[in-house]
Amino acid sequence: MSELIECPPGHMFKVRFSNVVTSLFLDANEQIWETVQAKEESEFSNAVKHHVFFMDSAQQKHTEIPVSILDLEDLEELHLEKNLIEVIPKEICHFQNIKVLYLNNNNITDICEELGELQNLQSLDLSSNPLNHKSLDVISKIHRLQELRLYDINLEEFPVQLCKHLHHLQLLGLSNNKLKSLPPEVTNLIHLKEIYLQNNAFQSFPIQICALTALQVVDLEKNKLTSLPADIGSLCNLVKLFMSFNKLSFIPKTLCQCKKLAVLDLSGNRLHKLPHDISELKALNELGLSNNELKMLPPTICQLRRLNVLYLKNTGLSTLPATFAELESLTILDLSQNCFTDFPHEICGLIQLQVLSMDDNLMSTLTPEVRSLKNLSYFGITGNRFTAFPENVLQLESLEKLYIGQDHGLQLSSLPDDIFMLKNLKELYIENNNLEFLPSTLNLLHNLEVLDCHNNNLKQLPDTICQLHGLQKLLLQNNQLTSLPDNLDRLHKLERLLLDDNPMIQALWRGVMVRKGLGPYAYLLQIRKKGKKSKKDTKGKNKSKKRNLKGKK
């Protein structure tokens, strides 16, 4: 089955495939085990053989399907992906009950005729194999097949025979091939609900798709499409449309007839405007428009009251529509790499907002109204023009992640002592600034897990940093540190400590972790031991000098 997998901000959610199996399923009811206990080992094996329905033998370096698996005639689901299998044996026909078969990422070249005898098979994955494309016709004999995945097999033409006979097909995965078109016969797949054609060589939208009115998911990302047909409006059941990274310059108004559309990704195209009728997409939940040349949004976009995710990265925006706050369901908003000189006050009305990226804009201040974002947990303002830490950020009590590094632009010279007001903060990124010291109140950030201060001008750390007992990552490379606080080894949860390009490393400790295979905590203990030893040596030398002086007298 397909599932949604979340991508980092700036990317749309993607539909991908995940069938992770972790165990062998045995139908082991009491009666079976009582029978097995009374029999010898060979009979035990026979009893088990007839009650195994589910087998995971992926990533086992098999060069062929083991005989022990071929004997499991009751199998209903078998995973053999990511092995070294070269041949599908004729004995595959023994699996008369099998419903799910994964053979992707092997070295299979030919599909044997016996595979076509698996009349109960519903899901087949042969992706990432060096298949002889002529042998694909065998699949047309599996009349009950509902899901077929043929990703990454260098396919240039989709076999017509599959279109003619797989009448029950609901999912067709053909991404990462060399397809330029689909055969007209694909319209026979009237029950098709999902089609994945990402990263092929389509220069025009395969118009046959528009006749498949049962379709719910269409993925044509990373092709060379310049337009969408007006007939796309006939896809009345369409729920997800992925069209990112093509060459689209406009969107037909008829797309707005797809009333069930919930996910629309148009990122990475050549769009200058959106259709005025976009407000008709009442069910729209996720909208990706990043990396287009929009420069402004139509006011009608604010009528998408169910919109939850909106990506507008690098779209040339400098203002938002006056009614933008009417997007009352919005929880994720990406406005990074745009031209905002002031924080858009329209955003302050989005009280459900949880993730906001305003990185790489031209802002120098934050409006006090930002405090109304009571649910904001992620805030990115890296790469702006703040001359001092924007203290209105401190009003965001729900904040868990704050990004205020300066990859370019002006640099901050200090953090406010009131930083402790961000009591829920878990991750603080203040890299690429000009900080010489950190506030001693940092220890009051009791939930802090990540502190990234790399590429600053830090000369020492406050002793109170040793009280951040939940700290897991401390990134301090490329600063001016000559020492560390004595009790830093009390940070028992520290998993990652980076100190490269500091004077203390260059002079004393370079390579200790690498040479001795030490983790951060052990490394700190090593530093402490060396420090104590050097103090003892100094005391010893002083005593020796005193004795020598007395002797001379």
Side-chain angles (χ1 to χ4, degrees):
M1 295 296 291
S2 61
E3 67 173 30
L4 283 176
I5 297 179
E6 188 174 338
C7 289
H11 299 79
M12 283 298 292
F13 291 148
K14 307 292 184 181
V15 174
R16 296 295 179 260
F17 306 107
S18 178
N19 284 275
V20 180
V21 184
T22 58
S23 63
L24 172 70
F25 177 69
L26 297 176
D27 183 14
N29 58 47
E30 293 182 7
Q31 185 177 359
I32 290 175
W33 283 114
E34 288 174 1
T35 304
V36 167
Q37 288 171 356
K39 296 187 176 184
E40 296 181 356
E41 184 176 341
S42 61
E43 292 177 297
F44 170 83
S45 176
N46 190 54
V48 171
K49 179 176 72 172
H50 291 292
H51 293 88
V52 177
F53 303 112
F54 192 92
M55 171 67 77
D56 177 21
S57 197
Q59 302 187 68
Q60 298 300 311
K61 299 182 179 179
H62 296 310
T63 56
E64 59 183 18
I65 301 178
V67 175
S68 58
I69 292 179
L70 291 170
D71 285 342
L72 301 174
E73 297 178 0
D74 286 344
L75 268 181
E76 294 184 359
E77 183 163 345
L78 175 59
H79 288 256
L80 287 166
E81 63 267 29
K82 298 182 181 178
N83 280 293
L84 304 170
I85 298 169
E86 297 180 358
V87 175
I88 301 175
K90 295 180 179 181
E91 291 79 7
I92 197 80
C93 64
H94 294 172
F95 295 139
Q96 286 302 307
N97 295 313
I98 199 147
K99 296 178 180 178
V100 178
L101 178 58
Y102 278 73
L103 288 165
N104 51 296
N105 297 87
N106 278 285
N107 295 322
I108 299 167
T109 55
D110 288 292
I111 303 173
C112 64
E113 290 290 333
E114 287 74 14
L115 187 72
E117 298 178 20
L118 304 181
Q119 290 305 307
N120 287 306
L121 192 61
Q122 297 176 9
S123 180
L124 174 64
D125 192 342
L126 288 166
S127 304
S128 301
N129 279 290
L131 290 171
N132 175 357
H133 299 155
K134 293 181 179 180
S135 68
L136 290 173
D137 284 349
V138 172
I139 299 173
S140 66
K141 299 177 181 179
I142 311 173
H143 299 302
R144 295 184 183 178
L145 200 62
Q146 296 179 15
E147 298 182 358
L148 176 60
R149 298 179 176 91
L150 296 172
Y151 300 111
D152 190 25
I153 61 169
N154 288 314
L155 192 64
E156 295 182 0
E157 295 183 4
F158 186 65
V160 172
Q161 290 301 314
L162 301 189
C163 299
K164 288 181 177 181
H165 298 286
L166 299 182
H167 300 300
H168 296 282
L169 205 61
Q170 297 182 21
L171 183 152
L172 179 57
L174 298 171
S175 295
N176 301 319
N177 281 294
K178 299 178 180 179
L179 297 170
K180 295 181 179 180
S181 63
L182 295 177
E185 291 82 358
V186 77
T187 55
N188 292 334
L189 304 178
I190 59 174
H191 296 293
L192 199 64
K193 294 181 179 180
E194 304 178 33
I195 186 165
Y196 298 92
L197 298 167
Q198 181 186 127
N199 196 23
N200 274 282
F202 290 96
Q203 294 186 3
S204 60
F205 190 95
I207 193 66
Q208 302 91 333
I209 287 179
C210 297
L212 302 174
T213 56
L215 274 173
Q216 298 177 8
V217 179
V218 174
D219 185 351
L220 272 157
E221 287 185 358
K222 299 179 181 177
N223 279 280
K224 301 175 183 179
L225 306 181
T226 56
S227 64
L228 296 179
D231 289 347
I232 198 168
S234 63
L235 296 177
C236 55
N237 290 299
L238 192 62
V239 176
K240 299 169 188 174
L241 178 61
F242 298 97
M243 298 297 303
S244 63
F245 301 103
N246 279 282
K247 299 179 180 180
L248 302 176
S249 57
F250 73 96
I251 301 300
K253 294 181 180 180
T254 51
L255 179 63
C256 301
Q257 296 173 13
C258 301
K259 303 298 184 182
K260 295 182 180 180
L261 196 61
V263 178
L264 175 59
D265 189 359
L266 298 168
S267 303
N269 279 284
R270 299 175 179 178
L271 301 176
H272 293 281
K273 62 179 181 178
L274 300 175
H276 181 81
D277 295 339
I278 195 170
S279 58
E280 296 299 316
L281 298 175
K282 303 295 185 182
L284 204 60
N285 181 261
E286 301 168 20
L287 178 58
L289 296 168
S290 295
N291 299 307
N292 281 288
E293 300 174 10
L294 297 174
K295 295 187 179 179
M296 62 184 302
L297 298 175
T300 52
I301 199 173
C302 303
Q303 297 176 32
L304 300 175
R305 302 297 169 80
R306 295 186 182 180
L307 199 62
N308 182 255
V309 178
L310 179 57
Y311 292 115
L312 290 164
K313 176 181 179 180
N314 189 28
T315 48
L317 295 176
S318 57
T319 61
L320 295 176
T323 55
F324 196 76
E326 293 181 11
L327 296 173
E328 54 193 27
S329 298
L330 210 59
T331 59
I332 299 175
L333 176 60
D334 186 355
L335 286 168
S336 59
Q337 296 182 21
N338 277 295
C339 306
F340 292 98
T341 55
D342 296 303
F343 186 86
H345 66 87
E346 296 87 355
I347 293 177
C348 299
L350 302 173
I351 58 175
Q352 300 299 324
L353 203 61
Q354 298 175 20
V355 175
L356 175 59
S357 177
M358 294 291 301
D359 302 295
D360 300 319
N361 276 279
L362 306 172
M363 299 184 300
S364 57
T365 60
L366 284 184
T367 173
E369 296 173 2
V370 74
R371 64 178 179 270
S372 63
L373 300 176
K374 299 294 185 182
N375 293 300
L376 198 65
S377 60
Y378 172 113
F379 194 23
I381 46 176
T382 290
N384 277 279
R385 297 186 175 181
F386 301 111
T387 56
F389 185 92
E391 300 208 9
N392 287 324
V393 170
L394 302 178
Q395 305 297 320
L396 300 172
E397 295 184 1
S398 296
L399 209 58
E400 295 182 4
K401 297 182 181 181
L402 175 60
Y403 295 78
I404 193 167
Q406 297 300 318
D407 297 329
H408 55 79
L410 300 175
Q411 295 181 320
L412 306 181
S413 58
S414 65
L415 291 181
D417 290 336
D418 291 343
I419 191 76
F420 69 87
M421 293 174 63
L422 299 175
K423 57 184 179 181
N424 291 304
L425 200 64
K426 293 182 178 179
E427 300 182 17
L428 176 58
Y429 298 87
I430 48 175
E431 75 281 2
N432 299 321
N433 279 292
N434 193 32
L435 304 178
E436 293 188 8
F437 302 97
L438 296 176
S440 59
T441 54
L442 209 62
N443 66 307
L444 299 177
L445 296 174
H446 299 300
N447 294 302
L448 199 64
E449 297 174 356
V450 177
L451 178 57
D452 185 352
C453 304
H454 81 269
N455 198 23
N456 273 278
N457 196 28
L458 294 174
K459 297 178 179 178
Q460 68 179 58
L461 299 178
D463 290 335
T464 53
I465 200 172
C466 305
Q467 299 172 26
L468 292 172
H469 300 301
L471 200 62
Q472 298 173 18
K473 295 181 182 180
L474 180 56
L475 311 182
L476 297 166
Q477 63 269 41
N478 198 21
N479 278 283
Q480 298 298 318
L481 296 171
T482 56
S483 63
L484 294 176
D486 287 340
N487 295 318
L488 200 62
D489 57 338
R490 292 181 180 177
L491 301 177
H492 299 292
K493 293 186 178 181
L494 198 62
E495 298 173 357
R496 191 176 187 195
L497 172 65
L498 296 182
L499 290 163
D500 298 339
D501 298 317
N502 278 280
M504 63 172 291
I505 295 295
Q506 296 167 3
L508 298 171
W509 314 114
R510 180 181 294 278
V512 172
M513 291 176 71
V514 175
R515 287 199 311 271
K516 298 190 176 181
L518 299 176
Y521 180 63
Y523 177 48
L524 292 172
L525 289 175
Q526 183 81 15
I527 290 179
R528 173 173 279 207
K529 287 178 182 177
K530 282 181 175 286
K532 287 181 177 178
K533 184 177 180 182
S534 62
K535 287 180 181 179
K536 287 181 180 179
D537 290 343
T538 303
K539 288 181 180 179
K541 287 179 181 178
N542 289 337
K543 288 181 179 179
S544 178
K545 285 181 181 179
K546 287 180 180 179
R547 283 196 296 268
N548 290 335
L549 287 172
K550 286 180 180 180
K552 287 180 181 179
K553 287 180 180 179

